[in-house]
Amino acid sequence: MATTTFTETMVTSSSRAVPWWRSPGFVRPVVLLVIAVAVLVAGRIFSAGLPSWGAAEAIVTQSLFVAVLAFGQGLVMLIGGLDLSIPGVIALSATTVALWTSAFKGDALTGVLIALACSALVGLIDGFLIARFQIPAFIVTLAMGGVLTGLTIGVTFGRTAPPSPAAIVLLFSGSGKLFGVGIPVVVFILVGIIGYFIQSRSTWGRRVYLFGSSPAASRLSGVPVRRVEISVYVVGALASGIAGIMLLGFSGNAQLSLGDEWMMPAIAAVLVGGTVIGSGYGFWQSTLMSCVLLTTITVVIQATGFSQGWKNVLYGVVVLLALLLMRRGTGRSPMRLLQNRIRRTAGGN
Amino acid sequence: MRSRTGRGLALLAAAGALVLALAGCSGSGGGGTGGDASGCVPSGGHAPRAGGDKYIVYMNALNIGNAWQEEAANLGVSVASMEPYSKCVEVRKELTDGDAQAQISQVQSMVAAGADAIVMYALSPTALNAAFRDACQQGVTVISYDATVTEPCVYNVSYLTSIPQGSTHPFMGYNSMTALAKLIGGKGGISYAHGVVGTSTDNIHYNSAMAALKNYPDIKVLTEYEGKWSSSVQQAESAKVLASFPNITGMWCAYGESGCIKSLKAAGKEIPVTGETSNYFREQLLAGWPGASIGSPPAQGGIGMKVALAVLLEGAKGIPLDIEVPYKIVTAENVKVCDKDTYTDGCNVFPPGKVGDEETADIFNEMLPESSLSASQTGKPAAGMTATPYTADYLSKYEQDPSRRYVTREACPDGWKKATLPEGVEGCAKG
């Protein structure tokens, strides 16, 4: 049973049977991008200032933070987990860099490396607990998030947020320009390319897909499953750590609440991008474009001028609609998914 | 009012009886360790509840990694550690991680631990009432600073209903919106950034700000958004606003206004902004950015503590239960650098780079000349600094006007009834 699902998934995700320009890995991100542009143009109804290059640049800048988080979250969700430690890791990594450069007068690069090492360690502990003791990922990561926030408060003594080094501000605040556009826009493109190669073109990426679609099958084919599972949490936490450093540059100082607002958009982006939790089915390029779409939607909703409550309602409704549409697009009804899941669970892992 | 006086008298009588009883005890024991020996216990006051020779006073703040809360708590702790208080008072800092529910149990354990006074940042105007009432009945003095509570036995020490210096109208929202309207010449499109939507403070700011806008019909609120009193949220949200409304002419921002300025800078715009008190914002005003800085002063933590100590050490007689903390409107015209780290009248911003973005020079207040930068950062008083205790006469100058009582107590004084104030907020009117 498990093998059947696995084969099905491999066929759709590697999509050898159809030409590349008709494969879901190409069609979906293009559709998402077209919708995003259409939404931005439709923003004209609410504000004469839309659409504009300035707006597009602001959208891509904010999409960058969501995208980096969604990359990590997407991998974790591919293998059936959920990472709720994102705000904690963001606070930890931003505070580490800021404290290192302000209180200890260290250089920014070393600070970044220390922060990334700490983030990776967090992912390692998460992954170990989840893989070794089979504790549900969302519980482990939720607890870890609490521990990290507590630690960060302890280290900073609840004092004022330490400031970001100037170089990181220049990179991510949008004030620095490269090729005539904000540096975050360039970074967004780089993140897109790097993410694609890691998730879809590397051996490690293929192993993650394989593990996500069927842990049993991947064990049979000689993949070191536990190591793969742990490594996904390490990469996920690293992504959060990188996002933390970017947000540090964006905000200019390492507040404890820096990451609070970014976890849910990242989860939404993964789902709207069409990744099916725990199925080994999903495309980084769709996730990337759904980050752009969701950010565009928030900008246009902002432009409606509705009161905050109605904006929240509208955003929720739009995300739900998007999710439903994506489900139809994959040809997988929620019912069929449920059946597949049950079958796989029955097959054991 | 009448019933409160009655209860106060009963409390006083009970406290008096307790003092007599304790005096008897210490007399029979032959020791001289009672509160009276140190001269700390006021006439008509009670000896320390825990029985030692010092009063136990709790200073509470929220542990949310927010500079404001830390400064307020540190100022409260530092002032209680100064002469002449230090010989009569033991101060304990208590932070709240959780919600109003957690605060209720904190209050109960403080009372059980022998608290004589509790200076609290109450997370809800009503949820803690029963716990506070119980504390009062056991002879504990309770102060709520910045955030107010409706329980009548609690002293409210807050800027919320004060008239800022140089204005004739109360309420921060009303004054900052008026300032913004003037800065943009009475016309154009603005954005309004809430704090945490649904809190009573945010409602008061919003209603009074909208009332101020009625005087400027040519100003349109293009959009409202929730900034959650966090500069990082404000920054992300205001960047979206700027993307949607490139023709925006002004921004009204709640606490976290540095986020508004940062997103404006990233977008290459310099338009008038009104926000609260962060040093980052005032540094921009210093550099000529058009704006007005007006908001909640963390000095309230120290002022709340001094009110508690006045009640405890001087007696409650004549001290008003509703105290309005004075505050100022800072603009590019009157922004002034603080050369010293101690209180100087009229200065309102630390030199650029000296403190963190979110810290504020509003640790200084005319009611808290004991304040210093180091005290706000560490909770230890500046070297050689002594405190000047409040007298009932001094505090009565800051008593809240009865017309604004409803805002903080959800009730009007006797002889007054509920009415909407000209600033768009529910208040009280005579008759």
Side-chain angles (χ1 to χ4, degrees):
Chain A
M1 289 284 189
T3 334
T4 327
T5 326
F6 158 64
T7 331
E8 255 175 35
T9 316
M10 284 316 276
V11 168
T12 37
S13 59
S14 62
S15 53
R16 298 260 183 262
V18 286
W20 63 268
W21 47 270
R22 279 177 55 196
S23 69
F26 179 77
V27 174
R28 279 195 191 188
V30 170
V31 169
L32 287 164
L33 183 62
V34 169
I35 299 175
V37 172
V39 169
L40 186 60
V41 172
R44 181 97 199 171
I45 302 166
F46 306 109
S47 167
L50 289 178
S52 69
W53 284 118
E57 199 172 316
I59 287 168
V60 176
T61 301
Q62 296 207 18
S63 302
L64 168 65
F65 312 129
V66 184
V68 173
L69 291 170
F71 176 71
Q73 189 68 273
L75 289 167
V76 170
M77 286 165 78
L78 267 184
I79 64 164
L82 193 62
D83 185 355
L84 299 183
S85 65
I86 283 181
V89 178
I90 289 177
L92 173 79
S93 102
T95 307
T96 306
V97 175
L99 272 183
W100 175 257
T101 52
S102 65
F104 299 102
K105 312 281 175 226
D107 68 301
L109 188 63
T110 317
V112 165
L113 292 176
I114 296 173
L116 293 184
C118 292
S119 308
L121 182 67
V122 169
L124 191 66
I125 298 171
D126 279 345
F128 178 73
L129 292 173
I130 293 160
R132 176 72 180 76
F133 300 106
Q134 304 285 312
I135 312 173
F138 75 95
I139 293 184
V140 172
T141 53
L142 185 66
M144 180 58 87
V147 169
L148 295 179
T149 313
L151 266 180
T152 319
I153 291 178
V155 168
T156 57
F157 310 107
R159 281 278 344 127
T160 319
S164 164
I168 296 178
V169 172
L170 186 71
L171 282 177
F172 298 111
S173 69
S175 53
K177 305 277 173 198
L178 200 65
F179 313 124
V181 292
I183 295 176
V185 177
V186 180
V187 178
F188 178 84
I189 295 167
L190 287 176
V191 164
I193 295 169
I194 296 169
Y196 177 75
F197 278 98
I198 295 176
Q199 185 168 332
S200 305
R201 284 279 171 265
S202 72
T203 316
W204 180 79
R206 290 201 190 96
R207 284 180 167 178
V208 173
Y209 273 109
L210 185 54
F211 179 82
S213 67
S214 168
S218 51
R219 188 180 292 124
L220 284 176
S221 51
V223 172
V225 278
R226 193 173 286 167
R227 218 184 295 163
V228 169
E229 190 173 8
I230 294 175
S231 67
V232 168
Y233 288 94
V234 173
V235 172
L238 267 174
S240 302
I242 293 171
I245 293 162
M246 291 177 169
L247 285 169
L248 172 68
F250 181 64
S251 293
N253 48 40
Q255 298 161 59
L256 291 178
S257 58
L258 202 59
D260 292 1
E261 303 296 317
W262 300 94
M263 178 167 73
M264 284 306 163
I267 294 175
V270 173
L271 292 173
V272 170
T275 296
V276 182
I277 299 180
S279 68
Y281 183 88
F283 304 98
W284 161 240
Q285 52 276 36
S286 324
T287 303
L288 188 68
M289 287 305 135
S290 80
C291 294
V292 176
L293 174 60
L294 290 177
T295 312
T296 310
I297 289 169
T298 59
V299 167
V300 173
I301 287 178
Q302 194 62 265
T304 58
F306 295 152
S307 70
Q308 187 63 38
W310 286 113
K311 279 181 195 161
N312 292 353
V313 169
L314 191 58
Y315 181 72
V317 169
V318 169
V319 170
L320 277 177
L321 280 176
L323 281 172
L324 279 174
L325 285 175
M326 289 315 287
R327 283 292 165 271
R328 182 165 290 191
T330 63
R332 285 159 174 252
S333 71
M335 192 52 79
R336 171 113 57 90
L337 282 168
L338 194 64
Q339 282 170 350
N340 283 350
R341 238 209 122 122
I342 291 166
R343 239 185 286 152
R344 225 188 32 253
T345 323
N349 57 349
Chain B
M1 281 302 260
R2 207 156 288 150
S3 67
R4 186 184 298 152
T5 326
R7 189 181 295 155
L9 278 174
L11 263 175
L12 266 174
L18 194 69
V19 168
L20 282 176
L22 281 169
C25 287
S26 63
S28 63
T33 53
D36 274 320
S38 57
C40 292
V41 178
S43 61
H46 64 76
R49 286 179 62 242
D53 58 355
K54 282 187 170 185
Y55 288 106
I56 297 171
V57 178
Y58 280 93
M59 182 72 211
N60 164 269
L62 308 182
N63 192 9
I64 53 174
N66 170 321
W68 193 100
Q69 293 286 343
E70 193 72 12
E71 287 165 335
N74 283 336
L75 289 172
V77 170
S78 74
V79 76
S81 320
M82 286 175 199
E83 291 286 344
Y85 299 132
S86 52
K87 68 178 195 304
C88 300
V89 173
E90 179 196 334
V91 60
R92 297 178 183 172
K93 187 163 150 184
E94 183 97 1
L95 299 178
T96 299
D97 278 323
D99 47 16
Q101 196 58 41
Q103 280 196 321
I104 292 173
S105 50
Q106 274 184 317
V107 170
Q108 287 163 343
S109 37
M110 291 177 202
V111 172
D116 292 290
I118 297 173
V119 183
M120 194 96 185
Y121 188 94
L123 272 168
S124 157
T126 51
L128 288 103
N129 281 0
F132 283 153
R133 207 174 308 134
D134 187 50
C136 293
Q137 276 162 5
Q138 300 199 39
V140 182
T141 303
V142 184
I143 311 282
S144 180
Y145 68 92
D146 185 63
T148 57
V149 297
T150 58
E151 170 53 44
C153 77
V154 174
Y155 293 82
N156 277 335
V157 177
S158 175
Y159 82 110
L160 206 56
T161 60
S162 313
I163 298 177
Q165 283 167 26
S167 173
T168 51
H169 290 275
F171 306 118
M172 176 266 221
Y174 188 93
N175 284 291
S176 54
M177 188 56 94
T178 305
L180 183 63
K182 286 179 181 157
L183 281 165
I184 62 174
K187 60 176 193 299
I190 60 167
S191 64
Y192 184 94
H194 287 268
V196 173
V197 173
T199 58
S200 58
T201 314
D202 189 64
N203 280 339
I204 295 167
H205 292 341
Y206 180 74
N207 291 339
S208 62
M210 292 305 133
L213 265 190
K214 291 210 176 91
N215 303 325
Y216 299 94
D218 295 333
I219 296 178
K220 187 168 176 277
V221 178
L222 299 172
T223 185
E224 293 170 17
Y225 59 99
E226 189 172 15
K228 302 193 176 170
W229 287 318
S230 150
S231 58
S232 54
V233 176
Q234 290 257 34
Q235 188 180 356
E237 293 303 311
S238 55
K240 288 175 193 163
V241 168
L242 292 175
S244 309
F245 300 101
N247 303 326
I248 194 163
T249 53
M251 297 182 102
W252 192 102
C253 300
Y255 183 82
E257 68 282 350
S258 57
C260 294
I261 301 273
K262 284 172 183 171
S263 60
L264 278 167
K265 284 193 163 180
K269 283 190 202 327
E270 188 177 307
I271 58 171
V273 172
T274 49
E276 296 206 23
T277 61
S278 70
N279 211 61
Y280 181 86
F281 182 34
R282 290 191 178 164
E283 285 170 23
Q284 309 308 312
L285 297 179
L286 200 58
W289 192 292
S293 159
I294 166 176
S296 174
Q300 288 174 111
I303 296 167
M305 175 58 77
K306 282 184 73 182
V307 172
L309 296 178
V311 174
L312 213 51
L313 303 175
E314 317 288 326
K317 193 166 181 294
I319 296 179
L321 277 152
D322 302 275
I323 293 171
E324 288 181 339
V325 175
Y327 66 127
K328 290 176 185 167
I329 305 175
V330 178
T331 62
E333 278 71 50
N334 68 355
V335 64
K336 186 162 172 276
V337 174
C338 296
D339 302 322
K340 293 190 294 178
D341 293 351
T342 48
Y343 175 70
T344 320
D345 190 27
C347 87
N348 43 41
V349 61
F350 287 112
K354 179 161 187 161
V355 298
D357 285 356
E358 305 305 319
E359 287 180 69
T360 172
D362 279 6
I363 55 168
F364 298 137
N365 190 286
E366 62 177 62
M367 287 182 84
L368 195 67
E370 297 88 349
S371 177
S372 66
L373 180 59
S374 64
S376 78
Q377 290 174 336
T378 62
K380 295 190 182 68
M385 185 77 80
T386 58
T388 315
Y390 291 145
T391 61
D393 269 355
Y394 177 83
L395 286 175
S396 60
K397 282 190 290 185
Y398 296 99
E399 183 169 13
Q400 185 187 47
D401 190 89
S403 68
R404 303 193 282 274
R405 188 66 41 83
Y406 191 86
V407 180
T408 50
R409 299 287 187 184
E410 288 177 17
C412 289
D414 285 348
W416 295 67
K417 62 176 198 295
K418 199 177 152 188
T420 304
L421 299 175
E423 294 84 13
V425 173
E426 293 297 322
C428 307
K430 229 173 188 152

